[in-house]
Structures are given as C-alpha cells and as structure tokens.
Amino acid sequence: MSISGPPFESSTELTELRRSIDNIDAALIHLLAERFKFTQAVGRLKATTGLPASDPDREKVQIARLRALAEEAHLDPAFAEKFLNFIVAEVIHHHEQIASTGAIDTLQ
C-alpha cells in the first residue's frame, strides 16, 4: 500500500488502514478477555490448593517463549516482554484478589 497520491486517495487509504487497526484492536481485547478467563480459573485453583499467586519460574519460561515468538514475527522482543510483564502483573493481582476475597473486581 502506498501513502502517496492525490489527497482523496490518501484519505481513503488512511481510513482503510485505520479500520484494519481498529479491527485488530478489537480482536486483541477479545483475546485478552479470553486469556483472563483462563488465568482467573488458574487463580481459583491456586487459591483452593494454597499455591502462591506468582510463579517466577513459569514467568521466566513465558518471557523467553514470547521473546522468541516476537523475534520470529519481527516484533521488538523487549516490547513483547514489557507487554507480557504488564499482563502478568495484572494476573498476579487477580490471583491475590481471588485468594483474599474469592472474586475479582473487573470494574476498577
């Protein structure tokens, strides 16, 4: 896709590109929601079995795996690691909430 050309062409192309980005953003949100359903189930299991909210060994493995996937996808591995760390921090917070209250407040 070329961004050069008459203003109308560029405007139409920009709109199409933004629509694609919006669709990907929506897919990411739905994927994250699905991921959190599973991590919340893990949190409930951890709470009932007395396991800690955090699993540093698992996190290290996941970081290495996602960094490799990022490299394969031509995405900055450092960005992928930051993104995963952000998600893992939220997951740990959810696990702590489940362990202390039995539920998660998703409207914070």
Side-chain angles (χ1 to χ4, degrees), residues 18-84:
R18 286 180 172 164
R19 188 175 298 126
S20 294
I21 291 168
D22 293 348
N23 289 338
I24 292 168
D25 288 346
L28 285 170
I29 294 300
H30 288 283
L31 286 170
L32 284 171
E34 191 66 19
R35 186 185 196 284
F36 277 106
K37 286 178 190 175
F38 287 104
T39 60
Q40 289 167 10
V42 168
R44 287 189 293 276
L45 182 60
K46 284 181 172 184
T48 60
T49 59
L51 292 170
S54 176
D55 184 346
D57 291 335
R58 162 87 174 150
E59 293 162 27
K60 286 177 191 171
V61 169
Q62 285 298 92
I63 288 169
R65 186 178 75 82
L66 289 184
R67 284 184 69 93
L69 286 171
E71 286 180 19
E72 290 173 17
H74 306 289
L75 180 69
D76 179 6
F79 169 77
E81 184 173 345
K82 288 177 194 173
F83 183 70
L84 180 64

Side-chain angles (χ1 to χ4, degrees), residues 7-26:
F8 178 73
E9 227 177 83
S10 294
S11 176
T12 301
E13 187 171 5
L14 180 60
T15 299
E16 290 173 9
L17 290 168
R18 286 180 172 164
R19 188 175 298 126
S20 294
I21 291 168
D22 293 348
N23 289 338
I24 292 168
D25 288 346

Side-chain angles (χ1 to χ4, degrees), residues 90 93 97 104-108:
E90 189 65 19
H93 176 70
Q97 279 186 316
I104 297 170
D105 182 5
T106 58
L107 300 177
Q108 292 181 13

